[in-house]
Amino acid sequence: MRFSERPAPQLKREVAQRARWRCEYCLTPHAYATQPFAADHIIPQSQGGKTTLENLALACGCNLYKGNRVYAIDPHTGHRVLLFHPRRQKWKRHFAWSADSLYVIGRTRAGRATVEALKINRPELVNLRRILHMAGEHPQKIE
């Protein structure tokens, strides 16, 4: 049986600082999170992924839905595609905010598959975005 290697506290801090304390999938700010954040293995350890800064992404509850997957189905084409990879891809290329800034819209096959697989528009996040929008804290600037 293989045991998962957990990131050391210093590595977790580096992951969080690089992500500016936001989930790298849905952009939820850590300070307002509805679920604990984790240093997610982008390529899961079960598939050979290493516990390195390059292979870790800060993730809120999105991590629970991602699990050990790297592929998901694009709901528009029905094709199996790679999920969004925060180290190799730009968020703005694959996602956009809806006109009211409450929903993440997948712009590409990877974006659409990631939105669906990670349940990026789950009710608690939409409600959080609504409150943050009213408080002037959402949407945050995307680089």
Side-chain angles (χ1 to χ4, degrees):
M1 173 184 246
R2 181 180 162 172
F3 291 97
S4 296
E5 180 185 349
R6 296 195 180 262
Q10 177 58 36
L11 184 55
K12 281 184 180 179
R13 274 191 298 282
E14 289 178 46
V15 169
Q17 289 169 344
R18 178 186 59 203
R20 296 178 38 216
W21 296 92
R22 297 186 301 192
C23 174
E24 294 188 70
Y25 297 104
C26 72
L27 300 185
T28 295
H30 180 268
Y32 303 110
T34 61
Q35 294 175 304
F37 274 46
D40 170 61
H41 286 84
I42 301 166
I43 305 299
Q45 291 177 304
S46 63
Q47 297 182 36
K50 306 291 183 202
T51 304
T52 61
L53 187 60
E54 177 63 23
N55 189 46
L56 294 172
L58 191 64
C60 67
C62 290
N63 185 47
L64 299 173
Y65 296 101
K66 181 178 171 283
N68 69 346
R69 295 189 285 178
V70 293
Y71 291 96
I73 302 298
D74 172 6
H76 288 173
T77 66
H79 292 118
R80 182 176 174 243
V81 298
L82 285 167
L83 291 170
F84 171 70
H85 191 300
R87 295 287 71 72
R88 297 182 184 152
Q89 297 171 312
K90 298 284 185 191
W91 197 92
K92 286 193 319 188
R93 162 90 172 88
H94 294 276
F95 307 101
W97 291 109
S98 60
D100 60 7
S101 300
L102 298 180
Y103 297 90
V104 175
I105 308 299
R107 301 174 67 178
T108 63
R109 293 183 310 159
R112 291 187 300 263
T114 301
V115 166
E116 290 297 315
L118 278 59
K119 300 188 185 318
I120 287 177
N121 291 317
R122 53 196 180 274
E124 65 269 21
L125 288 183
V126 173
N127 288 335
L128 176 62
R129 293 174 194 145
R130 184 177 287 112
I131 292 166
L132 292 176
H133 185 67
M134 290 188 307
E137 295 286 327
H138 176 79
Q140 295 183 16
K141 183 179 176 184
I142 305 163
E143 296 164 8

